[in-house]
């Protein structure tokens, strides 16, 4: 039995493999396999590790089109650095005092935001007179004219449920403000771990506060302009209504005069006969359903011009309400 042979040399350019399969009595199958392995170039064989690394970096830069080192450096620069050495320092509210006076947002009730802001200002001034602070609750003061002629001014909050406070915040001031009535805490981020977590207040930048001041001023100007326009429209409407009222009163007076002048002609009676109408006298109906009936005057109301007349019908006396213009006195 012949064993397979393997011949290889690193100095040659070809690698040959040859082996023979064992044969039987009747057949013999010789088989040989050859393979060629191209060696590295002479320049690459003599390159050091540093030179090979430089070539690899050059190929990488040519494929990407940019310097990969610069990309890595940018990512490292963008990565935020830790402000605190451990999580316990992050939970310490006294570290906020290092930032100096800042604007902070306090969560309050949406309905009583102005009252809560005034309460915080009074309590801080009373208990901490040596601390400089500002309390700002942006609101638009809307004016309305009431029916009695007076004006009412009501503040409309620009940011309902928020009050801005500028001060040097430490744990003592933080806890004092949180214990005030109507305060729900500070606006911030939740920090800590599974053992302990707190809401660390987050300050508002000066740029954002300037934008808030500007917005509040613009909204106040718009509200004042709208109030002035409403006043002008109300004045115009009142002038038109007064003219209409004068015309209507004039027309009503003319109608009353014409009615008084026409009453004697319609009734067929004179003013003197109407003056003789007294309760108990005999009257005659000149128009209407009971025309030409004669009855007794029971009641007379000169203000409403109504008269109650009693007629004898079927042996019984019936009372009927008539207008004064429909009856005349039968007495001469």
């Amino acid at each position: 039995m012949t064993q397979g042979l393997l011949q290889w040399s690193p100095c040659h350019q070809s690698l040959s493999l040859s082996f023979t399969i064992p044969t039987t009595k009747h057949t013999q199958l010789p088989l040989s396999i050859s393979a060629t392995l191209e060696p590295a170039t002479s320049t690459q064989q003599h390159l050091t590790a540093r030179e090979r690394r430089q070539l690899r970096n050059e190929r990488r830069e040519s494929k990407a089109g940019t310097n990969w080192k610069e990309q890595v450096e940018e990512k490292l620069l963008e990565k935020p650095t830790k402000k605190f050495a451990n999580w316990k320092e992050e939970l310490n509210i006294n570290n906020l005092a290092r930032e100096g006076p800042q604007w902070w947002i306090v969560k309050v009730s949406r309905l009583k935001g102005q009252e809560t802001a005034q309460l915080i200002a009074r309590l801080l001034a009373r208990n901490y007179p040596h601390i400089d602070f500002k309390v700002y609750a942006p609101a638009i003061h809307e004016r309305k004219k009431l029916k009695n002629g007076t004006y009412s001014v009501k503040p409309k909050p620009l940011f309902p449920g928020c009050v801005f406070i500028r001060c040097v915040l430490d744990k003592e001031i933080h806890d004092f403000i949180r214990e005030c009535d109507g305060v729900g805490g500070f606006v911030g981020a939740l920090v800590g771990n599974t053992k302990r977590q707190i809401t660390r207040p987050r300050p508002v930048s000066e740029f954002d506060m300037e934008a808030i001041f500007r917005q509040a001023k613009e909204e106040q100007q718009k509200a004042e302009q709208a109030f002035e326009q409403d006043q002008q429209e109300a004045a115009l409407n009142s002038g038109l209504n007064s003219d209409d009222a004068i015309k209507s009163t004039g027309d009503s007076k003319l109608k009353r005069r014409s009615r008084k002048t026409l009453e004697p002609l319609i009734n067929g009676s004179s003013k003197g006969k109407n003056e003789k109408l007294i309760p108990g006298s005999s009257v005659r109906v000149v128009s209407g359903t009971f025309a030409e009936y004669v009855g007794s005057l029971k009641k007379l109301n000169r203000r409403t011009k109504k008269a109650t007349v009693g007629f004898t019908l079927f042996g019984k006396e019936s009372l009927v309400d008539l207008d004064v213009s429909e009856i005349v006195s039968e007495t001469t």
Side-chain angles (χ1 to χ4, degrees):
M1 180 181 295
T2 307
Q3 301 292 334
L5 301 178
L6 176 62
Q7 298 179 1
W8 176 77
S9 175
C11 300
H12 294 82
Q13 296 183 358
S14 62
L15 175 66
S16 60
L17 301 174
S18 63
F19 59 90
T20 305
I21 299 177
T23 57
T24 60
K25 295 179 179 180
H26 301 285
T27 60
Q28 183 176 1
L29 297 175
L31 180 62
S32 63
I33 299 175
S34 62
T36 304
L37 179 64
E38 294 182 357
T41 58
S42 60
T43 56
Q44 293 181 354
Q45 290 179 358
H46 302 288
L47 291 177
T48 60
R50 180 180 296 178
E51 293 174 349
R52 288 196 299 270
R53 187 165 55 252
Q54 291 178 355
L55 290 175
R56 185 169 60 253
N57 293 339
E58 290 176 359
R59 287 196 301 269
R60 187 182 300 172
E61 292 176 0
S62 62
K63 291 180 181 179
T66 56
N67 190 355
W68 64 274
K69 291 184 179 180
E70 295 179 357
Q71 294 179 357
V72 173
E73 291 176 356
E74 290 178 359
K75 290 182 179 179
L76 292 175
L77 292 175
E78 292 176 359
K79 186 177 180 180
T81 57
K82 293 184 177 181
K83 295 182 180 180
F84 307 99
N86 50 34
W87 63 274
K88 291 184 179 180
E89 291 186 4
E90 190 175 7
L91 298 179
N92 190 3
I93 302 297
N94 289 323
N95 293 330
L96 297 175
R98 300 174 183 175
E99 301 178 5
Q102 297 286 338
W103 283 100
W104 313 93
I105 304 177
V106 179
K107 294 181 287 186
V108 297
S109 175
R110 296 174 63 91
L111 300 177
K112 299 181 179 180
Q114 297 291 330
E115 298 177 2
T116 307
Q118 295 175 4
L119 177 64
I120 294 172
R122 289 198 304 267
L123 293 177
L124 286 176
R126 184 187 306 169
N127 294 276
Y128 300 95
H130 60 282
I131 294 178
D132 295 333
F133 67 91
K134 294 181 181 178
V135 180
Y136 177 59
I140 302 170
H141 298 279
E142 295 182 345
R143 290 191 299 170
K144 291 184 180 180
K145 187 176 181 180
L146 303 180
K147 292 182 179 180
N148 57 2
T150 60
Y151 295 92
S152 67
V153 181
K154 291 184 178 180
K156 180 181 178 182
L158 191 61
F159 300 98
C162 294
V163 173
F164 298 86
I165 299 177
R166 179 180 174 83
C167 64
V168 178
L169 191 65
D170 55 5
K171 184 172 178 54
E172 184 179 0
I173 303 298
H174 174 270
D175 296 343
F176 179 80
I177 294 174
R178 286 200 60 180
E179 291 176 358
C180 294
D181 294 337
V183 175
F186 284 81
V187 175
L190 193 65
V191 297
N193 53 15
T194 56
K195 295 182 180 179
R196 184 187 174 191
Q197 290 183 349
I198 64 169
T199 301
R200 184 183 179 85
R202 182 177 296 174
V204 184
S205 63
E206 294 292 339
F207 178 79
D208 294 338
M209 290 304 302
E210 290 178 0
I212 292 172
F213 294 148
R214 195 182 310 113
Q215 182 180 357
K217 185 177 180 181
E218 293 175 356
E219 294 293 336
Q220 184 65 38
Q221 292 177 355
K222 290 180 182 179
E224 292 177 357
Q225 292 177 0
F227 176 75
E228 292 176 358
Q229 291 179 359
D230 293 341
Q231 290 294 107
Q232 293 176 359
E233 292 178 359
L236 292 174
N237 294 333
S238 63
L240 295 175
N241 293 334
S242 62
D243 294 341
D244 295 340
I246 292 171
K247 290 181 180 179
S248 62
T249 53
D251 295 340
S252 63
K253 288 180 180 178
L254 292 174
K255 289 180 180 178
R256 290 175 183 175
R257 290 177 183 176
S258 62
R259 184 176 178 180
K260 289 181 179 179
T261 55
L262 292 175
E263 274 181 358
L265 297 176
I266 295 173
N267 297 335
S269 62
S270 62
K271 186 176 180 181
K273 290 185 178 181
N274 289 335
E275 290 179 354
K276 294 180 181 180
L277 295 174
I278 56 176
S281 63
S282 179
V283 294
R284 179 173 57 87
V285 182
V286 295
S287 64
T289 306
F290 298 94
E292 301 302 329
Y293 275 79
V294 178
S296 176
L297 182 62
K298 301 296 182 182
K299 293 181 182 180
L300 178 64
N301 191 343
R302 296 187 181 277
R303 186 174 61 84
T304 59
K305 295 184 178 180
K306 293 289 183 180
T308 303
V309 182
F311 299 102
T312 303
L313 303 173
F314 305 105
K316 294 182 180 180
E317 187 178 16
S318 301
L319 300 179
V320 180
D321 292 335
L322 300 174
D323 290 338
V324 176
S325 60
E326 294 179 358
I327 60 174
V328 292
S329 177
E330 279 290 315
T331 59
T332 57

